Amino acid sequence: MLKQRVITAIVMLLVLLPALFAPMAWPFALLMLVMAGAAAWEWGRLNGAATAAAVSMGVLTAAACGLALWGGWVRVGPNVAWWLAFAVWVLGGALALKVGVGSWPHLPRGARWLLGVAAIWTAWLALSSAKAAGINFLLSIFCLVWVADIAAYFGGKAFGRRKLAPAISPGKSWEGVWSGMLGVQVLAVAWIQADRHWQLASLDSASLFTLLLERLGVPGLVLALVFLSAMSVVGDLVESLVKRSAGAKDSSNLLPGHGGVLDRVDALLPVFPIAMALSTLGF
């Protein structure tokens, strides 16, 4: 299993890194388009779609991404899309967690399919738009999610006492969530100093952290990062809820040793569009 995980990780990096550091936005957008189609297929399967319907969801999602790319939305992402995603994730995420594992399958299947596809498409657009804005900006959002997850894991292991959502994800604790939030604050301080010291913004783009600091000030930056850290947890919990309701351990076996695409990007789905929304504040 470990060997399989390592091989899959190496292959993913070999595919991702050239697209990530390409000077143009479209190679990364195309790679994310493939991932979005796969994620939509997984979402359909987890929510009761037959094989043909799940494949259709994947194809239609990829086609919608392709149309947006062709229409130039990657470079000029519509702000309304970010704020709609913001509202859907806050309200829809709260509803999903309130409904719980047992009641999730009883919600209208079409509504569940539509919400999933909309969330995946919006996340694809936000990812692609972040890449178009600059690699420093894109990587700062990626690292926010990764650090929140890593700090939450170790903080939960060391200090976890109170379970966050035992029926959905027994391993998560409130102490882990707070550790993740603290880790992101430390990351922001370090990244802002790096932006200033190496003048990364003049070379490529401002990071999300520097941008939020300039537009919202220190209190606004702290609150925005707490909120983004919390939403990364919501994304993780929602996917875990859907998997548990379907009786599935992983979203699929597309990534040997790593599960499925949704298993790798669940926390990214809400964070990227919400980060894009917050980055429009202060104009």
Side-chain angles (χ1 to χ4, degrees):
M1 177 62 75
L2 178 60
K3 181 179 179 181
Q4 191 179 51
R5 288 176 65 90
V6 170
I7 292 173
T8 302
I10 291 173
V11 171
M12 287 192 294
L13 284 174
L14 290 175
V15 174
L16 175 63
L17 290 178
L20 188 63
F21 290 100
M24 307 81 68
W26 65 263
F28 182 77
L30 280 179
L31 178 59
M32 293 300 103
L33 180 153
V34 174
M35 301 287 280
W41 168 74
E42 292 176 349
W43 181 267
R45 292 172 69 248
L46 291 172
N47 284 278
T51 300
V55 170
S56 297
M57 288 173 64
V59 171
L60 289 173
T61 301
C65 295
L67 284 173
L69 179 61
W70 177 75
W73 284 16
V74 166
R75 290 202 165 273
V76 189
N79 290 346
V80 66
W82 316 140
W83 288 104
L84 282 174
F86 186 112
V88 169
W89 269 108
V90 171
L91 299 176
L95 175 62
L97 298 179
K98 181 179 179 181
V99 165
V101 175
S103 298
W104 175 258
H106 300 297
L107 296 176
R109 187 179 298 177
R112 285 183 281 137
W113 292 355
L114 182 60
L115 281 172
V117 167
I120 292 166
W121 179 83
T122 309
W124 169 84
L125 184 59
L127 276 159
S128 302
S129 297
K131 171 63 172 75
I135 191 67
N136 188 29
F137 181 72
L138 174 68
L139 287 179
S140 66
I141 306 176
F142 270 128
C143 288
L144 183 156
V145 175
W146 295 335
V147 166
D149 185 53
I150 293 169
Y153 175 80
F154 286 105
K157 284 287 187 182
F159 309 110
R161 296 293 182 272
R162 289 174 291 178
K163 298 298 183 182
L164 176 65
I168 299 174
S169 185
K172 283 186 167 49
S173 66
W174 282 105
E175 291 81 4
V177 172
W178 297 332
S179 298
M181 291 177 176
L182 178 60
V184 168
Q185 301 292 337
V186 173
L187 173 69
V189 172
W191 207 299
I192 290 168
Q193 293 306 312
D195 273 353
R196 291 172 176 172
H197 182 72
W198 286 302
Q199 297 182 322
L200 295 179
S202 64
L203 296 175
D204 175 50
S205 61
S207 67
L208 174 69
F209 309 120
T210 295
L211 200 61
L212 292 177
L213 177 63
E214 292 173 349
R215 294 180 178 176
L216 304 178
V218 172
L221 170 66
V222 171
L223 290 175
L225 295 181
V226 166
F227 181 69
L228 287 167
S229 301
M231 292 310 298
S232 73
V233 177
V234 170
D236 192 327
L237 287 176
V238 168
E239 200 241 354
S240 295
L241 180 152
V242 173
K243 286 193 298 186
R244 281 189 174 273
S245 70
K249 182 178 181 294
D250 298 316
S251 58
S252 77
N253 295 312
L254 284 179
L255 305 175
H258 292 265
V261 174
L262 283 175
D263 296 320
R264 299 298 95 201
V265 304
D266 49 8
L268 300 175
L269 293 179
V271 169
F272 261 90
I274 291 174
M276 295 299 293
L278 293 175
S279 71
T280 66
L281 293 174
F283 282 111

